[in-house]
Amino acid sequence: MFRLTSRRTVSLMTNLPTSFHSSKLASTLALLETSPDGNLDPSSLNLLQAAKLLKNPITALFVGPNASTGAQSLKDSVKCEGLSKIVVVKDDSLAHYLPENISPLLVELLKGDTYSHFVITSSSTGKNILPRLAALIDNQPVCDVVKIEGPNKFVRPIYAGNALATIETSQDKKLLSVRASAFDSVEEGKSENVEIVEIPFTNKDAIPIKWLSANLTKTGRPDLGSAKTIVSGGRAFKDKESFEKYLTPLADVLDAGIGATRAAVDNGLCDNSLQIGQTGKIVAPNLYIAVGLSGAVQHLAGMKDSGTIVAINNDPDAPIFKNATYGLEGDVLKIVPELTEKIKAAQK
Ligand SMILES: Cc1cc2nc3c(=O)[nH]c(=O)nc-3n(C[C@H](O)[C@H](O)[C@H](O)COP(=O)(O)OP(=O)(O)OC[C@H]3O[C@@H](n4cnc5c(N)ncnc54)[C@H](O)[C@@H]3O)c2cc1C
């Protein structure tokens, strides 16, 4: 038995079955996400950086009706050492990244010796697709990778981020989901010599489900996954009105995303899409302002890798202060408006 301390490291070996075809060529297939109209998701650039660290030639894969737009924008905007090919599979059934539809395609691509590694971000898309793909090819994926130590050796958080496990896998195919926030973006530039190849989706007859509709909340704020600054609120706010009244102006002056604790979500202060933590989103902005939240371990699991953490709390013993770069002790109802005004004045 070992006692868990913050970020303690344990080592694990996975000597799992190597039943899938043996891989002779080291090469990485990376599924890059785009918005429905084909704009590159910023997390794709972090995924490519992680793929680079595997030191294999990289094939970037785009799927869906607007896959070509994503492929072209990658070619025109990114310089990525090791990127050798961009593969496009343009098919309506691959829209929305439904795992039931994409997995048969990935199984087909990963057959044989071409690819030794498959990488995808630990986004909701990645979390949906990777387990299904792994089950279909009888493979043990390594999820939530935060560090790549070699082609077979990866670090991932366990126990809600309280420990780091170093995992060495002997499987022929390495299936990885990667925490985008743990890796930098690849360099901006151009990949002029990289060829875009379109391939057909041949085994789509097996697809059992169809996308019907989506009911999305649009905020106009930076997405939490890629926001450079996040203002996050907790149970200190008594109702939705005060949560919004105090946090929105602060987020506005900083052009920040708004996050929340699970207690804030459960108390109806905000939508659950704002929840950050073990059962919410994992974020790592440059600046995280924790407003009236205690810093429970499950919340820290989602934000403790942020660059600078500012905590505002009226309890000097609140655990969040131990994780904060700067602490402001006092009533959020007084401090937040004052801070907002001071930032506004400094911006003039
Ligand atoms: C399995 C599991 C998963 C979970 N997943 C998550 C998760 O993903 N994300 C998450 O956030 N939580 C998660 N939780 C819940 C977590 O344990 C905490 O309950 C939650 O994070 C507490 O939220 P809070 O900090 O807003 O509330 P509290 O812990 O109640 O803290 C409120 C803080 O506000 C301060 N405060 C009160 N009034 C004021 C004021 N006027 N001015 C200044 N400060 C004030 C208090 O001092 C206190 O520190 C999970 C729990 C479990 C069991």
Side-chain angles (χ1 to χ4, degrees), residues 233-238 260-264 266 275-281 291-300 302 312-316 318-320 328 330-333:
R235 199 174 354 218
F237 297 99
K238 297 297 166 243
T261 63
R262 177 154 142 188
D266 289 349
Q275 186 179 317
I276 289 171
Q278 185 187 337
T279 44
K281 299 207 163 102
V291 186
L293 59 85
S294 59
V297 63
Q298 295 89 352
H299 187 74
L300 295 175
I312 310 173
N313 199 301
N314 62 5
D315 174 5
I320 190 68
L328 288 167
D331 188 347
V332 291
L333 307 187

Side-chain angles (χ1 to χ4, degrees), residues 140-178:
Q140 169 68 59
V142 183
C143 299
D144 278 331
V145 170
V146 291
K147 195 171 172 203
I148 290 172
E149 293 199 339
N152 305 328
K153 209 169 172 187
F154 315 105
V155 179
R156 63 172 299 246
I158 53 171
Y159 302 120
N162 284 296
L164 292 172
T166 301
I167 295 178
E168 197 166 341
T169 175
S170 56
Q171 298 175 109
D172 285 342
K173 299 270 175 198
K174 282 85 182 166
L175 305 188
L176 313 176
S177 71
V178 163

